[in-house]
Amino acid sequence: MSSPQAERHAVVTGCSSGIGKAIAERLLADGWTVTGLSRSETSLGPGFRWLRADLSDPASLAETVAGVSPVDALVHAAGFQRTAVLGDLDPEALAGMFTVHVAAASALANIVVPRMPAGGRVLLIGSRTSTGSPGKSQYAATKAALLGMGRTWAQELAPRGITVNVLSPGPTDTPMLDDPGRSATPPKLPALGRLVDPEDVAALAGFLLGPHGKSITGQNYVICGGASL
């Protein structure tokens, strides 16, 4: 990437727990500085700066990141899940998930990517369920939208050497699994017999965001413990 390794700077949403926190910790361990965006205050040690952000209000994000220095990577990991089968679908649940998963990603990228140096990285956290899963049609739809958006950005940004990829975990051992809003679809152990470790997701993210990710763009990486077999 264009910046010296010691000065690489990433913005990571959803840094207070789960996959977002694991990715922020991975990047810090790899020598990045990280600006974390979340509703809950978070402290991850040296090199980390937390900013309170409301991802459910994309219009507010320009002010939130107004003073943030140019970034080498944007990671959008913030998200939540609401589940229901057809006949019980809640329009407000769909609107809320679309706003946090897709509209917030679009708003942030629109702000920070134009100032991103050549060779930068954008990583969107999708989901294995983007191809469809009973009881998760609305969640799947919002995550599928990231695939189309990310692949389009990859084409637009390729002339600048900026890569854009989607990382799509399966059932991951995070607090999201205990959210009452997804109680209609309790998690099932994947084929390997254990939930996905968020640190494994973070390790793959670290590779895609690192120097050897420079030749990978427009791709969707599924890490699901065999749930998609």
Side-chain angles (χ1 to χ4, degrees):
M1 300 175 71
S2 62
S3 301
Q5 183 165 328
E7 298 179 0
R8 291 178 299 174
H9 175 212
V11 166
V12 180
T13 70
C15 64
S16 60
S17 68
I19 291 171
K21 181 179 180 181
I23 291 175
E25 291 174 332
R26 176 71 268 164
L27 293 178
L28 290 167
D30 288 344
W32 292 69
T33 60
V34 174
T35 298
L37 306 183
S38 65
R39 289 182 300 177
S40 301
E41 186 170 359
T42 304
S43 178
L44 299 180
F48 179 79
R49 176 193 182 194
W50 174 75
L51 295 176
R52 187 182 303 278
D54 184 359
L55 280 299
S56 68
D57 181 13
S60 70
L61 297 176
E63 181 177 355
T64 300
V65 300
V68 174
S69 60
V71 303
D72 298 285
L74 170 64
V75 180
H76 183 53
F80 68 99
Q81 186 175 136
R82 296 291 179 265
T83 61
V85 297
L86 192 61
D88 293 325
L89 299 180
D90 179 1
E92 292 186 3
L94 175 61
M97 288 187 288
F98 189 88
T99 297
V100 172
H101 299 163
V102 184
S106 177
L108 277 173
N110 200 48
I111 298 164
V112 306
V113 173
R115 296 191 299 143
M116 186 176 283
R121 304 278 190 270
V122 178
L123 183 64
L124 307 173
I125 302 303
S127 172
R128 183 198 72 84
T129 62
S130 62
T131 57
S133 180
K136 300 182 182 181
S137 62
Q138 294 176 318
Y139 179 77
T142 67
K143 292 297 189 175
L146 293 177
L147 300 177
M149 191 164 70
R151 191 167 176 82
T152 301
W153 289 350
Q155 296 173 63
E156 294 176 358
L157 297 172
R160 294 172 56 195
I162 295 174
T163 70
V164 185
N165 292 290
V166 178
L167 186 51
S168 295
T172 305
D173 190 8
T174 70
M176 182 186 286
L177 296 187
D178 299 322
D179 188 333
R182 56 149 303 153
S183 60
T185 56
K188 299 178 181 179
L189 286 181
L192 290 178
R194 57 185 178 273
L195 297 172
V196 174
D197 186 338
E199 292 185 359
D200 292 344
V201 180
L204 181 51
F207 177 84
L208 293 171
L209 297 168
H212 296 296
K214 64 182 180 297
S215 299
I216 304 171
T217 195
Q219 304 304 308
N220 177 39
Y221 285 87
V222 177
I223 177 168
C224 67
S228 57
L229 292 175

